[in-house]
Amino acid sequence: MAKKRMDIRGGSSLEMSLDTNPIITSLIPRIGIVTSTLLYFSPMAAVRAASKDNTLGDLNPVPLAIMAVSSVCWLAYGLSIQDPYVTLSNVPGCIVAIWYVTAVLPLLKGSQLQTTQNIVVVLSAVTINLWAYLSLTKKAMVQVRSALGLYASALFVVLSGSPLSTIKTVLSTRNSGTILTPLTIAQVTNCGLWSAYGLAIKDKFVYGPNLTGFSFGLVQLVLKLWFPSK
């Protein structure tokens, strides 16, 4: 998730300082495109292995299902504000996340299949209804952007915490195999970067969800260290 900048109320001095700081306005968002892409592609090896072996194994499909919708919502937000950093950091994610879902669905059975399908359908339904509401009620563009950003942020928080949906299994089996190491490392790195950026520009829509995602990532790292994958 990334955000280039937003208007800051109460004066223009901070905005002017950001405009002249190449680290804030250029370097960090560009690095953010890379870390966001790494976050989206981090489950690739595990999904390919599961598809090749024709068995899900320890792979948790819940984060993949949420990622498929979350990435599309961030892309929509990026396009609405015409921000190249937000847009470009989510285009690859949209494509690969949709592939993840199509790859793992044939491997799912019983409650896992029903849960994954429900997540995709429910989140997609909410997203489509939100878009329809914002369009048909002819909301001002600033309201549309705010609603899209808030919704995308909420989904990102859910996505960041979704690997912990198997925490009961991890604790009972003392095996963290259901928590993907590449995804966890990418999450901590990506969220840490954007948390620092958000705090620097005092933007709660940037640092809020990313600090939460960073915290969730640290919990996952602790679980990986305490209960190594078997």
Side-chain angles (χ1 to χ4, degrees), residues 152-192:
S153 296
L155 281 182
F156 182 77
V157 170
V158 175
L159 171 62
S160 299
S162 59
L164 296 176
S165 61
T166 60
I167 190 170
K168 182 178 180 180
T169 301
V170 172
L171 295 176
S172 62
T173 63
R174 304 183 67 82
N175 177 12
S176 61
T178 56
I179 300 176
L180 295 178
T181 301
L183 178 61
T184 301
I185 294 174
Q187 177 176 321
V188 171
T189 303
N190 186 61
C191 291

Side-chain angles (χ1 to χ4, degrees), residues 98-167:
I98 292 173
W99 178 79
Y100 291 154
V101 173
T102 61
V104 301
L105 275 179
L107 309 178
L108 301 178
K109 298 178 180 179
S111 61
Q112 270 193 328
L113 175 60
Q114 184 176 4
T115 298
T116 304
Q117 289 176 324
N118 288 342
I119 289 173
V120 174
V121 172
V122 170
L123 291 182
S124 297
V126 173
T127 302
I128 293 170
N129 277 279
L130 173 63
W131 291 350
Y133 169 77
L134 293 174
S135 176
L136 296 177
T137 54
K138 298 181 180 180
K139 296 292 184 181
M141 196 59 197
V142 64
Q143 293 177 301
V144 172
R145 292 170 176 170
S146 179
L148 292 176
L150 184 61
Y151 180 59
S153 296
L155 281 182
F156 182 77
V157 170
V158 175
L159 171 62
S160 299
S162 59
L164 296 176
S165 61
T166 60
I167 190 170

